[in-house]
Amino acid sequence: MSKRVIVIGAGGHGRSVAEAILLLRQDELVGFVDDGAEPNAKVWTYPILGRTDSLHAMRALADAVVVAIGNNAVREKLHTQVREAGFELLTVIHPTAFVSPTAILGAGCAVMAGAVVGTEAELVEGAIVNCGATVDHHCKVEAFGHLGVNACMAGGSVLGHGAWMQAGSALGYGVQVEAGAVLAPGEARAA
């Protein structure tokens, strides 16, 4: 069933998530919420509906929300606000991404263009798998983990709660990254 969707975040990631929603043609994009937007601003033809502190007032406009903010701690905080306002947290999978039918995705995840989520992988709530990133078989991205563009997790590796793999970083087979860690662009961690 089609949902009316608000995207929180009108920056680069928010626009990319909104574009995926439009390409999927399953749900209706209602507009954006962004704390830094100018009054009466728009993204393309879609309005900025207000700030995150007024989400509860938007309940009649939409059924679901995607928190499209790259900052892991901010995204986690906003997930709580979205739930308190009574919205469903929507997971968005870009039409050019591949997600295994045996993978498990939590609420509010974003899997972007060209990304791969492999066999029996798990993305917990609020995870981001950005463009071209790979979460191989039996990997786990804990809540609010974030793989940047072309980041790669080899089979059985684990990205901890709120950890961030910046662009091009890589985890070897079975490697576990602690909660809150930040891997530099191109950094590799081996077992």
Side-chain angles (χ1 to χ4, degrees):
M1 179 177 209
S2 180
K3 296 178 176 71
R4 299 168 301 156
V5 181
I6 291 172
V7 174
I8 296 181
H13 184 57
R15 291 169 190 236
S16 297
V17 168
E19 186 174 76
I21 291 168
L22 294 172
L23 288 169
L24 288 164
R25 299 176 187 236
Q26 295 170 349
D27 298 309
E28 175 192 354
L29 178 62
V30 173
F32 295 80
V33 169
D34 193 296
D35 289 348
E38 297 293 322
N40 302 313
K42 289 187 175 190
V43 173
W44 311 315
T45 59
Y46 298 92
I48 306 290
L49 301 166
R51 299 173 46 86
T52 56
D53 58 8
S54 61
L55 269 174
H56 62 281
M58 298 175 204
R59 189 60 189 93
L61 299 175
D63 312 299
V65 169
V66 179
V67 181
I69 302 287
N71 182 296
N72 297 341
V74 172
R75 192 167 65 259
E76 184 170 4
K77 178 182 167 206
L78 288 169
H79 268 232
T80 300
Q81 278 185 251
V82 166
R83 279 202 174 94
E84 288 171 353
F87 290 100
E88 173 187 343
L89 283 158
L90 187 70
T91 289
V92 175
I93 301 170
H94 192 280
T96 65
F98 172 78
V99 176
S100 167
T102 59
I104 300 168
L105 277 64
C109 292
V111 181
M112 304 309 293
V116 174
V117 179
T119 303
E120 296 180 27
E122 181 179 3
L123 307 181
V124 183
E125 179 178 341
I128 295 173
V129 182
N130 230 316
C131 298
T134 299
V135 179
D136 199 7
H137 66 86
H138 301 99
C139 288
K140 183 173 186 178
V141 179
E142 293 185 354
F144 307 102
H146 183 168
L147 281 79
V149 172
N150 288 326
C152 177
M153 296 175 68
S157 58
V158 177
L159 184 64
H161 184 110
W164 181 24
M165 295 177 66
Q166 293 191 59
S169 57
L171 301 181
Y173 290 98
V175 170
Q176 297 196 15
V177 174
E178 65 278 6
V182 177
L183 277 69
E187 180 180 345
R189 291 201 183 173

